[in-house]
Every structure is written in C-alpha cells, then in structure tokens.
C-alpha cells in the first residue's frame, strides 16, 4: 500500500493493491521491497517491486493509470518457509544466471519520464544493468539499453541520467585515484 501525507505529516489517503498473502509477516516483508518515484508535473506516482517485473503508475488520488512490464526480466521465486518454532520466514531470491534483481527507479531531469533499471545476474553476480524509460502520462515504456555492471573488475551502477549522459557510482575503490597513485 502507498500512503500519501502532507509535508507536515498529516495523512491524506492510502492506495494501491495489498499483497494477497494471509500472513502479516509476509505482507510486511514484501512491501518493503518496493520502491516509489513521483512526477509532480503530471501528478503521477510510480511503483516498482523487486519481485514483479511490472511498473504501475497511479494518479495522485490513487487511480491506476497504466502498467508496464519490463521486457526480459526474469524474477527468481522468493523462498518462504517456517522455522522449527513455526514462525514464517522469507528470504531474498537466490540469483542464478539470467535472473533479474534490484528493480529500481533512477533520478532523471526529464519531467515527462520515469527511469527504471534492473540487473541481470551471471555466474559471478550482477553482469548487466538494463535501463528503461516510462512516460509518466501514457505509461509507454522504452528500452534504453544496458550498461556493464563491472568495468576493469570494479562494480559500477548507473545511478542518474540526463539527456546526454549516464552517471555511475562504484561500490569499491576509486580506479582513477588508484591509477594516479601508482
């Protein structure tokens, strides 16, 4: 569920589709895996879920405007179980070759688009980050392309876009500084 509040913290409304699982632990855990982005220009809120390759656009009053399926996303099943004491457990899906992980929004300067990415895993973890744009009004999705998740053995991630460039972050080390110090 998505909850809308004023900047002062006053509750306005809730909307979205709750998870159908009867177990409150499962519902709570799964809801934490989703991400939101909002577009003030078109009064649209977009929701993406790590466990479902679909982006849903809502109006600012909670009406579903569109749904876009991300092509070639192959989500691994999420393992559920019970402890010896009978408590429900849920884990993160194991990522095998070809599995998709981390469906996330990427900040962008374009006021008409949402940008979404996900990683395709290989034998050594994330290998490619795939990028999509989704029109905030129509929900029309467009595949932008992919970016390697590893450059010269350093993990990288596209974290922002503008009209002409992508911006990446590294997860360990700063190769340009390391080269300078050699």
């Amino acid at each position: 569920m998505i909850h809308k509040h004023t900047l002062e913290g006053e509750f306005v409304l809730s909307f979205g589709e709750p998870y159908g699982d009867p177990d409150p632990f499962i519902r709570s855990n799964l809801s934490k895996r989703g991400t939101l982005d909002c577009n003030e220009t078109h009064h649209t809120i977009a929701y993406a879920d790590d466990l479902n390759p679909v982006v849903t656009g809502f109006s600012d009053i909670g009406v579903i405007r569109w749904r876009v399926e991300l092509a070639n996303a192959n989500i691994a099943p999420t393992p559920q179980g019970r402890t010896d004491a009978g408590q429900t457990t849920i884990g993160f899906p194991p990522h095998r070759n070809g599995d998709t992980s981390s469906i996330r929004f990427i900040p962008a300067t374009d006021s008409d688009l949402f940008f979404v990415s996900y990683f395709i895993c290989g034998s050594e973890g994330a290998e490619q980050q795939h990028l999509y744009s989704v029109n905030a009004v129509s929900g029309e999705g467009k595949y932008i392309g992919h970016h390697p998740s590893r450059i010269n053995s350093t993990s990288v991630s596209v974290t922002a876009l503008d009209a002409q460039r992508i911006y990446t972050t590294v997860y360990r080390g700063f190769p340009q500084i390391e080269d300078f110090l050699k």
Side-chain angles (χ1 to χ4, degrees), residues 86-169:
Q87 294 176 314
T88 307
T89 63
I90 187 169
F92 286 97
H95 298 298
R96 305 168 306 240
N97 277 347
D99 282 349
T100 301
S101 72
S102 302
I103 298 173
R104 296 286 181 257
F105 292 101
I106 298 175
T109 57
D110 191 310
S111 64
D112 290 333
L113 300 174
F114 292 107
F115 289 96
V116 183
S117 78
Y118 62 79
F119 291 93
I120 299 290
C121 296
S123 60
E124 296 184 28
E127 289 186 351
Q128 292 180 339
Q129 184 178 10
H130 291 258
L131 307 166
Y132 288 83
S133 65
V134 178
N135 185 285
V137 176
S138 70
E140 182 180 345
K142 179 181 174 189
Y143 181 69
I144 298 171
H146 68 274
H147 189 273
S149 299
R150 211 171 274 291
I151 298 175
N152 297 330
S153 74
T154 300
S155 295
V156 297
S157 177
V158 174
T159 55
L161 298 164
D162 67 21
Q164 299 181 17
R165 293 177 186 82
I166 62 171
Y167 298 90
T168 63
T169 57

Side-chain angles (χ1 to χ4, degrees), residues 36-65:
L36 294 173
D37 198 0
C38 58
N39 182 292
E40 186 175 12
T41 303
H42 299 291
H43 305 287
T44 304
I45 296 92
Y47 174 78
D49 180 337
D50 267 355
L51 304 175
N52 186 355
V54 174
V55 178
T56 303
F58 296 91
S59 71
D60 61 355
I61 60 169
V63 175
I64 294 176
R65 288 187 168 167

Side-chain angles (χ1 to χ4, degrees), residues 18-41:
Y19 289 100
D21 197 293
D23 190 310
F25 174 79
I26 298 295
R27 287 193 310 267
S28 172
N29 189 289
L30 293 178
S31 69
K32 294 175 187 174
R33 296 185 187 189
T35 59
L36 294 173
D37 198 0
C38 58
N39 182 292
E40 186 175 12
T41 303

